[in-house]
Structures are given as C-alpha cells and as structure tokens.
C-alpha cells in the first residue's frame, strides 16, 4: 500500500470513528469511554496486543471472537456468561447445541491473564469480549468503533437460556425480526449485524437443508460446491462469502446473487422487509460499516449488569468463589 493510500485509509477511519461517536445512541449510565482510565489505563492496548498476536497465527479467529460477543449478548445480556464452564448439575451456555462450534476461548483466557497480571480484579470478562470483537473486526480491515466500558460479569450460565435467544440458521425474516426485537435491535440493526457473516465459515449441518428445500433461491454453482462439501458429513465447512477472513461488503453482494450460505442469510434478500437494506449495503460498503458500528454499540449494551450487579471474574470460565 502506498503512502497516499495509507493516509486516505487513516482519514477514512478517523471520519468513521468521529461519526460513530457523534451519532451513537445513549450510553448506559455506568458505561464510559474512559472507565479504566485510572484503574487500568493500558487495558485496551493489552487486549489489542493479544488479539493481534492470535490473528497473526490464525486469521480465522477474527470471526470466532466476533461470534463469541454476539452469542454472549443475546443470552442474558453482555455479561460473559458464554465463557463459564459447565459444573456438576448444570450445563452451561458454551455446551448448548447452538454454541458447540464456538472458538476463541483460549484467546479470551490469554487476554484476561495478561490483564490480571497488570491490574488484578479490575477489567471484566464482558468488557474483554466487547473489545476483542471490536479489535478483530478492525484487524480484518473492518471499521473501528468506540466501545464504552464498565460491564460486569454474570454468575448464571444455563444451556436452556440459548434455546430461543440465539438466531438459528434456518429461520425466516419474521422469526429473526422477533428475536432481535426482544433485545432492542430493529430491522436495520438486524441486517447490519448479520453482516458479521462476512467473516467465517459454517458447518454443513447448518446449511445442508438449504440444498434440497431452497433451490430457487440458491445459485446453481454454489449448490454444486456445497453438495460436494456435505458428502463428507455434517463436519464439512464452507465460507460465508469469498473473502471470509476480510471484513467487507462482499457478504451482501453474495446475497443479491443468491449465494447466501445459510437460510437465515439468503432470506434477508428474499424478504420485502429487508431486501432494500441488503441492496443498499451491497452497493455502499461504507454505509454498511457505519450501520454495523451503530448496531454493535447497541448490541454491546443489551441487559447490562452494572454497579453492584454481577462481579469482576478473576478467571473468565468460573465465577469467583
């Protein structure tokens, strides 16, 4: 990249951050941009450093860390409940069927270990998830957005809480709208946040039914390719779009060509409630970036535990004794 291109990218980043900060929705009372300014001033640097090292070794982890934040916030709010291990007599969220393919736990553990060494008992695992997701998006060439901090960690994690809370891969727009609406996210947020699927892969179990039941909305060449993938069983994988380790607008362009991997992806283009938004994002990636930033800021404040609620876990996979 030339110096001129680097400067253009930097200016574009500054504009996006300033716009997002200026137009972001109201921040929950206990959250602030400088929450750890006095107690752990290098917290964001530590998170960014560990995430950067992890992505250099495995770029696919960007999708995994973003997905961890999604799956955390949609169940009991953004309280790091997805990180807790199961115990005798209780199956935790991370072991629920919908979360079986989650990855990146070891990266979160490394971040928390580094933070505890620098400022013990200060930074919550919930804030770590929010920051790691943001940094993963940015390092995958996506937008950099402000993340207000001050979340506290929950003490409940039950697999059954995931059953109706997480958006399933086979549902239509009507069901998806209901799921997002329950956590305060509107239709525009839903389509923008679905763009997180510009990163990552899905297993055959999540899309094989689409090969038989949705032939009219599935590109023929993609159907043939996916059919070959699924011959190896449900463990076979396929990328959400052709640039699966880069955060961009290709996901939406794929939908307009009927190359959406999951039913819940393609339905966004096939449904009148959301088709125009998909087309707009496909034509204007910068607008998608802006909308994604807005959606992430709203999602990151779902059902927060603040102040005296929750705790600051010493280790992210177990509540404090």
């Amino acid at each position: 990249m030339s110096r001129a291109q680097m400067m253009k990218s930097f200016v574009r980043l500054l504009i996006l951050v300033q716009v997002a900060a200026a137009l972001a929705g109201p921040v929950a009372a206990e959250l602030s941009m400088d929450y750890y300014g006095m107690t752990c001033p290098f917290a964001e640097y530590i998170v960014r450093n560990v995430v950067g090292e992890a992505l250099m070794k495995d770029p696919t982890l960007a999708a995994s860390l973003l997905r961890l934040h999604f799956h955390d916030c949609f169940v009991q709010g953004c309280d790091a409940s997805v990180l807790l291990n199961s115990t005798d007599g209780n199956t935790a969220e991370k072991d629920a069927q919908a979360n079986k393919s989650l990855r990146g736990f070891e990266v979160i553990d490394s971040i928390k270990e580094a933070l505890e060494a620098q400022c013990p008992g200060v930074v919550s695992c919930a804030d770590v998830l929010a920051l790691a997701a943001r940094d993963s998006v940015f390092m995958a060439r996506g937008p950099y957005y402000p993340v207000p901090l001050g979340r506290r960690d929950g003490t409940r994690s039950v697999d059954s809480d995931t059953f109706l809370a997480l958006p399933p891969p086979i549902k239509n727009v009507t069901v998806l709208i209901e799921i997002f609406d329950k956590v305060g996210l509107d239709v525009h947020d839903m389509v923008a946040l679905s763009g997180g699927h510009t990163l990552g892969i899905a297993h055959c179990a999540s899309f094989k039914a689409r090969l038989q039941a949705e032939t009219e909305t599935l590109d023929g060449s993609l159907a043939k390719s996916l059919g070959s993938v699924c011959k190896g069983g449900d463990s076979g994988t396929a990328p959400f779009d052709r640039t699966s380790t880069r955060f961009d607008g290709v996901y939406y362009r794929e939908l307009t060509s009927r190359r959406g991997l999951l039913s819940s992806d393609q339905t966004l283009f096939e449904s009148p409630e959301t088709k125009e938004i998909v087309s707009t994002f496909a034509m204007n990636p910068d607008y998608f970036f802006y909308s994604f930033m807005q959606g992430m800021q709203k999602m990151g404040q779902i059902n927060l535990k603040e102040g005296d609620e929750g705790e600051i876990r010493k280790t992210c996979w177990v509540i404090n004794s």
Side-chain angles (χ1 to χ4, degrees):
M1 181 182 292
S2 68
R3 187 185 183 114
Q5 289 174 318
M6 290 178 66
M7 182 58 69
K8 183 178 179 180
S9 296
F10 180 68
V11 171
R12 177 169 167 268
L13 167 62
L14 286 179
I15 292 172
L16 286 172
V17 170
Q18 290 168 354
V19 170
L23 299 182
V27 175
E30 298 292 333
L31 299 187
S32 69
M33 298 306 301
D34 61 348
Y35 187 84
Y36 299 114
M38 297 296 292
T39 56
C40 194
F42 296 106
E44 292 197 44
Y45 171 79
I46 291 171
V47 175
R48 191 171 303 122
N49 186 53
V50 176
V51 170
E53 290 179 355
L55 296 190
M56 284 186 67
K57 296 176 182 176
D58 182 2
T60 67
L61 282 170
S64 302
L65 294 173
L66 177 59
R67 190 172 178 229
L68 276 177
H69 186 39
F70 268 78
H71 282 232
D72 179 44
C73 290
F74 270 79
V75 183
Q76 298 296 315
C78 305
D79 64 352
S81 56
V82 73
L83 302 178
L84 288 171
N85 283 349
S86 296
T87 59
D88 292 340
N90 178 65
T91 302
E93 290 173 31
K94 67 164 56 173
D95 292 319
Q97 186 60 42
N99 288 333
K100 289 288 189 182
S101 60
L102 289 179
R103 302 169 60 232
F105 294 104
E106 73 286 353
V107 180
I108 302 300
D109 289 341
S110 295
I111 294 170
K112 182 62 172 173
E113 183 178 348
L115 288 169
E116 287 296 305
Q118 185 73 28
C119 25
V122 173
V123 182
S124 69
C125 299
D127 277 346
V128 169
L129 282 174
L131 289 170
R134 186 270 307 277
D135 292 343
S136 294
V137 167
F138 181 61
M139 291 177 192
R141 304 187 188 182
Y144 185 91
Y145 52 90
V147 175
L149 302 169
R151 300 163 187 80
R152 294 179 72 82
D153 300 324
T155 57
R156 172 190 171 89
S157 183
V158 181
D159 65 337
S160 59
D161 290 341
T162 70
F163 294 169
L164 298 177
L166 294 173
I170 59 173
K171 296 301 182 181
N172 59 30
V173 158
T174 301
V175 175
L176 295 175
I177 289 174
E178 291 175 355
I179 291 173
F180 277 74
D181 182 65
K182 286 178 182 178
V183 293
L185 298 170
D186 61 28
V187 175
H188 194 271
D189 297 324
M190 180 191 74
V191 180
L193 291 174
S194 295
H197 278 179
T198 189
L199 297 174
I201 62 173
H203 288 82
C204 184
S206 297
F207 59 77
K208 65 179 181 181
R210 177 157 154 67
L211 303 181
Q212 286 80 38
E214 301 173 32
T215 55
E216 293 185 359
T217 62
L218 179 59
D219 173 76
S221 63
L222 178 61
K224 184 176 180 180
S225 173
L226 296 180
S228 298
V229 168
C230 289
K231 285 181 179 179
D234 288 353
S235 61
T237 62
F240 282 110
D241 69 28
R242 302 180 218 204
T243 56
S244 62
T245 59
R246 177 169 178 166
F247 196 98
D248 53 27
V250 172
Y251 166 79
Y252 296 103
R253 296 202 294 273
E254 297 279 62
L255 298 187
T256 62
S257 298
R258 292 185 163 162
R259 294 181 61 87
L261 184 60
L262 306 180
S263 298
S264 56
D265 293 321
Q266 192 60 47
T267 190
L268 300 178
F269 183 68
E270 305 303 327
S271 303
E273 302 98 319
T274 51
K275 184 173 184 175
E276 185 175 345
I277 304 173
V278 170
S279 297
T280 301
F281 288 162
M283 292 185 293
N284 191 340
D286 283 344
Y287 183 53
F288 159 51
F289 276 24
Y290 168 76
S291 299
F292 183 82
M293 290 189 291
Q294 296 295 298
M296 289 298 288
Q297 288 172 333
K298 290 173 67 174
M299 189 192 78
Q301 298 183 50
I302 295 173
N303 296 333
L304 297 181
K305 294 171 178 61
E306 304 168 287
D308 294 333
E309 289 186 278
E311 62 182 13
I312 306 297
R313 286 186 219 138
K314 298 175 184 177
T315 304
C316 289
W317 43 266
V318 63
I319 62 174
N320 297 336
S321 56

